[in-house]
């Protein structure tokens, strides 16, 4: 039996759901059956979690800073409160059930928020670091900057190496994480690029987008989806 993988979707001002096909195809290629999870079903997430084997938190817009006790910064982009609340509810239930979570781009940030961490609303105006360009002006499958990975991490185990290049399409980033989440990769400027759980079987957050890279035959990105889908099968 193939595992069923729920993928959260974007919703633009509560009007229209959308999801880039790369997420769907990357899950199919890795041996999973993807289904798209809509917003508006927060009270039913327990039932969803029983029915599906893994969760992909997909990329998208910004996150409501009220969720981590801040007011909106000038550089905050479009937010989707309904999406935020659904994803936080899903994360809580998935962690309780110890079922696999792969959190991509916006997903790594909502994973941090849902577990009590926080984030930069806009790294360029809020971080003291000398920053790289994290909003690359290139195709989705271009490798933009390096990440350095902690050697005893799930991500290093999957990648088989501790330094490699990734793409980068973000102006927000995780700031502080709370246990059981730990930081397992950073860009050379110090920006957090991967987090994972030290207590769960497979909870991995990535600030970059492995899905277009996987479809472009990048072996590390393919391995990320394959290991995730394998974990969903256990
Ligand atoms: Mn980046």
């Amino acid at each position: 039996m193939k595992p069923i993988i729920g993928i959260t979707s974007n919703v633009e001002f509560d009007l229209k759901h959308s999801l880039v096909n790369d997420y769907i195809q990357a899950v199919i290629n890795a041996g999973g059956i993807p289904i798209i999870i809509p917003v508006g079903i927060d009270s039913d997430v327990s039932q969803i979690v029983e029915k599906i084997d893994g969760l992909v938190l997909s990329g998208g817009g910004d996150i409501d800073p009220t969720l981590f006790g801040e007011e909106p910064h000038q550089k905050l982009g479009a937010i989707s409160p309904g999406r935020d609340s659904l994803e936080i509810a899903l994360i809580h239930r998935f962690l309780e059930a110890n079922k696999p979570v792969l959190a991509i781009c916006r997903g790594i940030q909502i994973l941090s928020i849902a577990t009590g961490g926080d984030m930069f609303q806009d790294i360029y105006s809020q971080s003291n670091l000398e920053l790289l360009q994290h909003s690359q002006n290139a195709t989705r499958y271009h490798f933009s900057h390096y990440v350095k990975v902690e050697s005893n991490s799930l991500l290093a185990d999957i990648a088989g190496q501790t330094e490699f290049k990734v793409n980068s399409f973000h102006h927000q980033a995780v700031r502080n994480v709370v246990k059981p989440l730990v930081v397992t990769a950073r860009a050379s400027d110090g920006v957090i690029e991967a987090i994972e759980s030290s207590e769960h079987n497979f909870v991995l957050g990535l600030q970059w987008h492995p899905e277009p890279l996987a479809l472009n035959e990048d072996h590390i990105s393919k391995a990320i989806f394959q290991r995730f889908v394998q974990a969903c099968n256990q």
Side-chain angles (χ1 to χ4, degrees), residues 113-156:
I113 301 308
T115 51
D118 63 13
M119 59 185 283
F120 294 109
Q121 295 187 49
D122 179 63
I123 48 175
Y124 300 108
S125 40
Q126 293 185 306
S127 167
N128 297 323
L129 302 167
E130 185 144 337
L131 292 170
L132 302 174
Q133 182 193 61
H134 286 276
S135 303
Q136 74 186 49
N137 290 308
T139 61
R140 306 288 291 173
Y141 46 85
H142 174 71
F143 296 92
S144 169
H145 67 69
Y146 283 95
V147 291
K148 268 193 182 156
V149 185
E150 295 292 329
S151 52
N152 287 322
S153 62
L154 172 65
L155 180 58

Side-chain angles (χ1 to χ4, degrees), residues 134 145 166-170 187 191 193 207:
H134 286 276
H145 67 69
V166 299
N167 56 16
S168 193
F169 297 95
H170 59 109
V191 167
E193 292 276 345
Q207 186 58 69

Side-chain angles (χ1 to χ4, degrees), residues 53-88:
D53 303 297
L55 175 68
V56 174
L57 297 161
S58 60
D62 288 0
I63 293 171
D64 183 358
T66 308
L67 295 167
F68 47 96
E70 292 184 5
E71 294 205 86
H73 186 274
Q74 285 176 19
K75 295 289 173 71
L76 180 68
I79 62 167
S80 176
R83 182 177 182 181
D84 294 340
S85 65
L86 171 80
E87 290 185 332
I88 289 170

